Amino acid sequence: MELRVLKYFLQIVEDEQFIKAAESLHITQPTLSRQIAELEEELGVSLFNRNSRRVELTEEGYILARRAREILNLTNISLSELKNFQNDVSGTISIGMGEYKSVMVIPKIIKSFLEKYPKVNFDIFTSSTDIITERLDNGLLDMGLLMKPTNIEKLNYIQVPVKERWGVIMRADDPLAAKKYVTIDDLKDKHLIFASRKNLHHDLKNWFRGTFKDANVRFTSNLPTNGAIMVLNNLGYSLCIEGGKNIWDDKLLVFRPLSPLLEETTIIAWKKDEAQTKVVSRFIKHVEECLEKGLDEID
C-alpha cells in the first residue's frame, strides 16, 4: 500500500467523484480507477459504493479513510522532524488539551519557551482526555493535558497544580442560577447532561450518594461546549468542569459549583519510552522547570 495511492483515495473521498478527483490530482480518470481497483484487490475489500452521480464510502472505506489520514499526518510530521533535526531548535510541537481551568497554565509556559526558542511553532488540538490519550499512543500528538482519572501506564507525566472543580451549567434565567452552589436535592428529577468519559461517571454517581438515576441522563457530551448548547435550548443541566465556563456568554448561561465539593486534577503527559525530537525534549524540560518553580514564577 503506497502513500501515493492513499492520497489518491482521500482525494476521491473529498471530491466524491472519480472524474473530479482525477482533475484535482492531474491524472487521467482511467489511471485513478485502476489504482483504486488495485488497492481494493490488495486489501480484499470494496472501498466505495459507486453510482452514476457520486461515490460513497463503504464501512471498510470509512475505516481506511480514518487511518489513511493518520498515516499521512504521521508521514508529514516525520518529514518535518527530519528536516529540522540538523537545524537550530525549531519545528512544531503538537499539544492536545481539553476545556479545563488548567489550560490557562499552558500559554504562560509556551510564552516563556518562545522567548528562548522563537523558531518553534505549536499545534493545539482540543478534545476529550480519552481521544487525546489515543492520539498520544498513536504518535499523533507530542504532549497532552489530561484530566484524571485516566490510564497513565504508557505515559510519563507532570502533575499540574490546579484543581478542576465540578459544577453545573444552566441558563441564566433558571431559578437555580440564584444559588451559590448546586446540591444533590437541586438536581433530583432534573434532566442531566453527563461527560462522555465512562471513568468519570463513577465519581459523579458517587457524588449523588445513592440517589442517582440513569434515566435522568438525557445526553452525554465529550466537551462542555456542546453540552452548553443543549442547556441553552432548555434540554437539561450539564455537569462539567469549571474550565469551560469562559467559553459562553454569562448573560445566557452560568456555572454553579457542586456542593459538596467535587474536584479532579490534570497532568501534562507524553508517551513513555519514546524517542523525542530535540524541540519536544527541550519543551518537556522547560515544562518541568516551570512547574517546579511554581505558577507564580512563570513569566
Side-chain angles (χ1 to χ4, degrees), residues 2 6 11 18 35 38 49 58 75 99 102 104 128 143 148 152 190 206 208 210 227 235 239 255 262:
E2 299 180 25
L6 288 181
Q11 191 65 53
F18 275 75
Q35 294 284 346
E38 290 175 358
N49 292 317
T58 62
T75 301
E99 294 174 350
S102 51
M104 301 305 294
S128 65
M143 304 179 73
K148 290 185 174 181
I152 57 174
K190 296 287 195 298
N206 281 347
F208 278 91
L235 289 171
L239 278 79
F255 176 92
L262 179 62

Side-chain angles (χ1 to χ4, degrees), residues 99 168-170 223-229 232 238 240-256:
E99 294 174 350
V168 181
I169 304 172
M170 65 192 75
L223 292 174
T225 307
N226 292 326
I229 294 172
L232 188 61
S238 180
C240 69
I241 293 298
E242 185 177 9
K245 74 177 185 179
N246 294 327
I247 297 169
W248 55 81
D249 186 346
D250 58 10
K251 293 179 181 178
L252 300 175
L253 298 172
V254 297
F255 176 92
R256 295 293 179 260

Side-chain angles (χ1 to χ4, degrees), residues 166-219:
W166 281 97
V168 181
I169 304 172
M170 65 192 75
R171 287 175 58 99
D173 57 5
D174 191 283
L176 288 183
K179 302 191 66 171
K180 190 175 181 180
Y181 298 96
V182 173
T183 67
I184 296 169
D185 288 339
D186 292 328
L187 295 177
K188 283 182 179 178
D189 302 321
K190 296 287 195 298
H191 290 296
L192 305 177
I193 302 168
F194 258 36
S196 299
R197 288 181 61 201
K198 296 296 184 183
N199 54 359
L200 292 177
H201 291 191
H202 177 74
D203 290 348
L204 288 173
K205 290 179 180 180
N206 281 347
W207 180 83
F208 278 91
R209 298 180 178 177
T211 66
F212 178 79
K213 300 176 184 177
D214 285 312
N216 286 2
V217 179
R218 180 174 275 179
F219 299 96

